[in-house]
Amino acid sequence: MEERLQKILAATGIASRREAEKIITAGRVRVNGKVVTELGSKFDPARTRIMVDGKPIKAESKAYYMFYKPRGVVTTMSDPENRRSIADFVKDLPERVFPVGRLDYNTEGLLLLTNDGALAQALMHPSHEVNKTYLVKVPGIVPDEKLDLLRMGIKLEDGMTAPAVVNLRSYEHEHNFTLFDITIHEGRNRQVRRMCDAIGFPVRDLKRIKMGPLTLSNLGRGKFRELTDGELAALKKAAKL
């Protein structure tokens, strides 16, 4: 059965479907010896020789890891500016994995690493509304009416955000900062930071502490562990798979 080329690449663990599209358009894929750059191209993987960067693709066993991304790390497998990337932490893994979604350079916390392209696609699709929770620290004492704006939705340059769940953790009057957590299901670029900018309290520290049913706990910065069978089942349920 013929399938889109980016779907074939994602299914073999090369990259997420979105990253696979970039690999194709960059001219890094050959099908039966010819470079293919059209994203709509369809092939039967059982009857086609597909190579990426000169190496034939092959299916890998599925792998699922929870990773605690530190600050100062880019959420890519390579970086043209030679900054620390996810690849620096997973180079000794037996499988080739990629990050699901992104955390920006100065954000730390929970990141899922996998080679399961179907799961990655489902988790990132906005219609599935998979929740992500962030611990936010901002300078100043944020009045409750400002937190209510986050709860109701904020108008950003790319449109209104969906209502968020916001829980105040503490006011630190002595050191003049507010700590709260916020849960969103959208995946806009730097969304939490932009929402906080919009209410006049720019983020000082930001950490993702939860993604769907997965909770970041007992894991040090820069460390990773395999998901348990129960965690994986719950994650697939959250992704509607």
Side-chain angles (χ1 to χ4, degrees):
M1 184 177 69
E2 290 192 342
E3 295 179 329
R4 289 179 181 272
L5 184 55
Q6 57 265 42
K7 184 177 180 181
I8 297 172
L9 297 185
T12 61
I14 295 292
S16 68
R17 197 176 302 184
R18 187 179 301 171
E19 290 298 318
E21 291 176 352
K22 296 178 182 178
I23 291 172
I24 294 167
T25 56
R28 296 167 55 191
V29 182
R30 287 181 176 269
V31 179
N32 294 332
K34 295 182 179 180
V35 174
V36 175
T37 58
E38 293 293 328
L39 295 179
S41 304
K42 290 187 175 182
F43 302 95
D44 182 347
R47 303 186 177 194
T48 309
R49 180 174 174 80
I50 301 173
M51 304 182 75
V52 176
D53 296 332
K55 298 179 181 179
I57 65 171
K58 59 180 181 179
E60 292 183 310
S61 58
K62 294 293 188 289
Y64 309 89
Y65 296 92
M66 180 189 299
F67 175 62
Y68 187 157
K69 185 191 96 65
R71 293 179 63 179
V73 173
V74 289
T75 310
T76 60
M77 299 311 291
S78 63
D79 181 62
E81 298 177 31
N82 290 320
R83 295 172 296 182
R84 294 176 79 198
S85 71
I86 302 298
D88 295 321
F89 296 87
V90 301
K91 56 190 175 184
D92 294 328
L93 286 179
E95 309 90 359
R96 213 166 13 178
V97 295
F98 53 86
V100 178
R102 292 180 181 272
L103 291 177
D104 67 46
Y105 186 71
N106 288 317
T107 299
E108 63 179 323
L110 194 161
L111 197 62
L112 179 67
L113 306 176
T114 186
N115 55 9
D116 187 336
L119 177 61
Q121 185 76 7
L123 288 170
M124 290 187 290
H125 201 285
S127 68
H128 292 185
E129 298 188 350
V130 178
N131 286 333
K132 296 108 179 166
T133 301
Y134 298 81
L135 183 62
V136 186
K137 181 179 180 180
V138 300
I141 304 302
V142 185
D144 203 50
E145 57 266 26
K146 292 286 190 179
L147 296 179
D148 282 341
L149 292 177
L150 301 178
R151 295 181 177 109
M152 292 184 292
I154 290 285
K155 186 176 182 179
L156 302 177
E157 62 271 19
D158 51 355
M160 288 291 295
T161 65
V165 177
V166 178
N167 296 305
L168 176 65
R169 294 211 175 189
S170 64
Y171 288 133
E172 295 293 335
H173 293 278
E174 183 179 351
H175 297 98
N176 193 37
F177 69 80
T178 303
L179 195 66
F180 62 92
D181 60 60
I182 182 170
T183 299
I184 61 175
H185 64 258
E186 299 170 290
R188 305 191 203 184
N189 185 43
R190 302 181 76 252
Q191 182 173 337
V192 173
R193 292 183 183 274
R194 291 192 291 138
M195 290 173 72
C196 291
D197 286 344
I199 64 168
F201 288 87
V203 168
R204 178 183 295 172
D205 295 309
L206 185 62
K207 177 167 71 171
R208 185 156 69 190
I209 56 176
K210 194 171 182 182
M211 180 179 181
L214 302 181
T215 301
L216 185 67
S217 59
N218 302 320
L219 196 63
R221 287 182 179 87
K223 303 297 183 181
F224 56 84
R225 66 167 177 82
E226 288 190 78
L227 298 190
T228 66
D229 290 341
E231 287 172 331
L232 180 57
L235 191 62
K236 288 184 174 182
K237 183 178 180 180
K240 299 179 174 63
L241 289 180

